[in-house]
Amino acid sequence: MPATAFKNKSPYILFLPFLLLYSLYVLYFHTDQMEGDEARYLQFAQNLLHGFYSPAYPNIDLINGPGYPILLMPFAAVKTPLICITLFNALLHYLSVVYLFKAIELLFNSFKTACIVALCWGCYFLAYQEMPCILTETFTLFLISAFSYQIIRIHKQETINYKHIILAGFTFGFLILTKVVFAYVLLPLLFISVYFYLKDRASITTQRLVYLFSTALLVLAPYLIYTWQLTGKFFYLSSESGKVLYWMTSLDENEYGDWNNNTFTANCHGKVFCNAPLIAANHAADIAQVNSMKTVIQADSVFKALAVQHIKSNPANYARNWFANIGRLLFGFPASYYFQSPSTLIRVYVNSLLLFAAIFSLVVLAINRKNIPLEIIVLTSFCLIYLVLSSLVSAYPRQFTVIVPALLCWITYAVKNTVRMSLKIEK
């Protein structure tokens, strides 16, 4: 088939083989036996159907935002089989490939480049892991891919298109409701945009950003009001933040800041070796204090107080755990008292390429910062703020995986505008 025939096809048609691949992957790996967070998301969806989100005091539960449970509400309402939810994940992942293609094609006006990048993302099998599960990651990476496209589209337009700005702001806002850490990505982006808007009110580019980020904040506002009424705390997003910070600040020299639960069994499911006794030896007293609290809000405050105490008593150890956390974010190791698997090497090989490409691209963008288009600056800032924040608390590789579509946008921009490569050897 001639190349022009492919060019004339809609990307929704062009990348249909990925939808088939993802559907088959889900059908093969799906199980109705829910683990980890899956049952909780469905319970929150049921809560929303009954007119509330968290149970009332003292049984408050705000471990995650309502974004993903809102998405699950239709499935919960009609009581679809669980396989329907995970097959919907396959559709979302396929759409993330389509949106990344559209973003790159719009950025470079190059069908070939867009195809290569979209194919790379579509074949990035490390992102498949959560697809057969009722977890937030597939929805998150879809939202990030869609947001990347929307940011580029907005800044390619000569005038302010309020419809597109509101849609991008809604996408960002819903991303925050799904992964609340993005609220802390939004705030600096909003403040910086407002600062530059006040310096030059005639600038259309800064107006767009202020409107976009303000829309995202408006989408988040009802949830912030709800949590304030429930907890009495301003800008309270999750009751889990104290715990992920606490484990990150572990003082034991044989621990590396990886997350665990209150029974120390996070790494014991179906494993030959369980490290719970080793973890408990260092944390049982702290967890007993946490468990004695009446509400999760109080427990969250205790976790935060213990974490701050740990950092103050040994900041060098927190810095060491932070360095280890970057390894966990990218490669899935090191983990405390935990046997490593050769499969970890696959993640190392693949994500090392992304790491080197990202470092190279950052150098290129820094050197050429005065000539970089605003949409690339926004996406780069979006990614870097998120990754820095994620590195400060206990992290997992899936927290890196979801940001890859946005990473690929600015990596592609830097590489395509600098690297010239030929596989032919000149005589």
Side-chain angles (χ1 to χ4, degrees), residues 31-203:
T31 172
D32 281 350
Q33 183 178 350
M34 291 187 288
E35 295 183 359
D37 300 333
E38 292 181 284
R40 188 182 73 245
Y41 291 124
L42 283 172
Q43 182 57 57
F44 276 128
Q46 288 288 351
N47 291 355
L48 288 168
L49 288 172
H50 289 88
F52 70 98
Y53 184 62
S54 165
Y57 180 90
N59 300 314
I60 295 171
D61 187 0
L62 294 169
I63 191 169
N64 54 260
Y68 191 54
I70 290 172
L71 182 73
L72 296 180
M73 285 175 67
F75 298 98
V78 298
K79 296 181 172 56
T80 63
L82 298 181
I83 188 75
C84 294
I85 300 175
T86 51
L87 282 173
F88 187 66
N89 282 347
L91 175 63
L92 291 174
H93 203 113
Y94 150 76
L95 290 174
S96 77
V97 177
V98 172
Y99 274 115
L100 184 61
F101 170 87
K102 294 174 72 174
I104 300 299
E105 188 176 44
L106 191 58
L107 191 61
F108 296 107
N109 194 27
S110 169
F111 176 84
K112 180 181 177 181
T113 302
C115 268
I116 292 171
V117 176
L119 286 171
C120 287
W121 168 240
C123 295
Y124 182 70
F125 55 87
L126 298 180
Y128 299 178
Q129 188 172 352
E130 287 76 33
M131 204 188 305
C133 307
I134 304 173
L135 297 172
T136 61
E137 277 67 33
T138 302
F139 186 41
T140 301
L141 61 84
F142 159 74
L143 290 171
I144 289 175
S145 185
F147 179 68
S148 300
Y149 165 66
Q150 289 161 355
I151 279 285
I152 294 170
R153 179 175 63 176
I154 286 168
H155 289 285
K156 288 293 184 180
Q157 296 165 342
E158 294 183 1
T159 59
I160 295 179
N161 187 314
Y162 291 102
K163 176 184 171 182
H164 291 165
I165 289 172
I166 291 171
L167 182 58
F170 178 81
T171 302
F172 196 178
F174 216 87
L175 175 62
I176 296 169
L177 292 175
T178 305
K179 289 282 190 185
V180 296
V181 64
F182 283 98
Y184 303 102
V185 178
L186 169 65
L187 291 179
L189 291 176
L190 177 59
F191 291 150
I192 293 169
S193 300
V194 169
Y195 171 76
F196 282 105
Y197 173 68
L198 293 175
K199 286 186 67 176
D200 183 8
R201 293 178 183 270
S203 171

Side-chain angles (χ1 to χ4, degrees), residues 107 155-156 365 368-380 413 417:
L107 191 61
H155 289 285
K156 288 293 184 180
L365 296 180
N368 300 278
R369 57 191 177 276
K370 293 183 179 180
N371 300 317
I372 304 300
L374 187 59
E375 59 268 29
I376 296 300
I377 294 174
V378 172
L379 285 175
T380 305
Y413 179 85
N417 284 290

Side-chain angles (χ1 to χ4, degrees), residues 127-404:
Y128 299 178
Q129 188 172 352
E130 287 76 33
M131 204 188 305
C133 307
I134 304 173
L135 297 172
T136 61
E137 277 67 33
T138 302
F139 186 41
T140 301
L141 61 84
F142 159 74
L143 290 171
I144 289 175
S145 185
F147 179 68
S148 300
Y149 165 66
Q150 289 161 355
I151 279 285
I152 294 170
R153 179 175 63 176
I154 286 168
H155 289 285
K156 288 293 184 180
Q157 296 165 342
E158 294 183 1
T159 59
I160 295 179
N161 187 314
Y162 291 102
K163 176 184 171 182
H164 291 165
I165 289 172
I166 291 171
L167 182 58
F170 178 81
T171 302
F172 196 178
F174 216 87
L175 175 62
I176 296 169
L177 292 175
T178 305
K179 289 282 190 185
V180 296
V181 64
F182 283 98
Y184 303 102
V185 178
L186 169 65
L187 291 179
L189 291 176
L190 177 59
F191 291 150
I192 293 169
S193 300
V194 169
Y195 171 76
F196 282 105
Y197 173 68
L198 293 175
K199 286 186 67 176
D200 183 8
R201 293 178 183 270
S203 171
I204 292 179
T205 54
T206 53
Q207 284 183 48
R208 288 170 175 152
L209 291 178
V210 170
Y211 298 157
L212 189 160
F213 297 139
S214 297
T215 302
L217 189 59
L218 286 174
V219 173
L220 178 61
Y223 181 62
L224 292 176
I225 294 170
Y226 174 76
T227 59
W228 174 66
Q229 291 176 335
L230 200 63
T231 67
K233 295 178 180 290
F234 177 71
F235 211 83
Y236 194 83
L237 295 162
S238 170
S239 56
E240 183 75 0
S241 55
K243 183 184 287 188
V244 292
L245 182 59
Y246 166 80
W247 287 106
M248 178 65 179
T249 64
S250 174
L251 293 174
D252 189 87
E253 62 180 9
N254 295 313
E255 295 181 12
Y256 308 114
D258 41 315
W259 181 88
N260 217 298
N261 55 34
N262 287 17
T263 57
F264 317 112
T265 56
N267 297 316
C268 296
H269 300 295
K271 304 291 193 302
V272 175
F273 172 75
C274 178
N275 58 12
L278 296 169
I279 302 290
N282 299 317
H283 299 278
D286 288 346
I287 298 302
Q289 181 184 353
V290 168
N291 289 339
S292 68
M293 296 296 106
K294 188 175 182 179
T295 70
V296 293
I297 308 303
Q298 294 171 341
D300 183 47
S301 297
V302 172
F303 270 129
K304 288 174 181 174
L306 289 169
V308 171
Q309 180 182 328
H310 289 173
I311 295 172
K312 286 182 177 178
S313 64
N314 195 338
N317 195 73
Y318 177 68
R320 185 203 65 159
N321 288 352
W322 173 78
F323 183 70
N325 205 38
I326 294 174
R328 271 191 305 277
L329 191 62
L330 288 166
F331 311 124
F333 78 93
S336 308
Y337 315 111
Y338 191 73
F339 291 138
Q340 295 297 331
S341 166
S343 61
T344 303
L345 291 173
I346 298 173
R347 194 176 294 276
V348 173
Y349 297 148
V350 175
N351 281 352
S352 290
L353 297 175
L354 272 175
L355 176 61
F356 293 139
I359 292 172
F360 169 80
S361 300
L362 283 176
V363 173
V364 169
L365 296 180
I367 293 172
N368 300 278
R369 57 191 177 276
K370 293 183 179 180
N371 300 317
I372 304 300
L374 187 59
E375 59 268 29
I376 296 300
I377 294 174
V378 172
L379 285 175
T380 305
S381 303
F382 174 82
C383 292
L384 291 181
I385 295 170
Y386 166 74
L387 289 172
V388 169
L389 290 172
S390 297
S391 74
L392 297 176
V393 297
S394 295
Y396 281 108
R398 61 188 185 181
Q399 291 166 258
F400 173 76
T401 300
V402 297
I403 203 70
V404 169

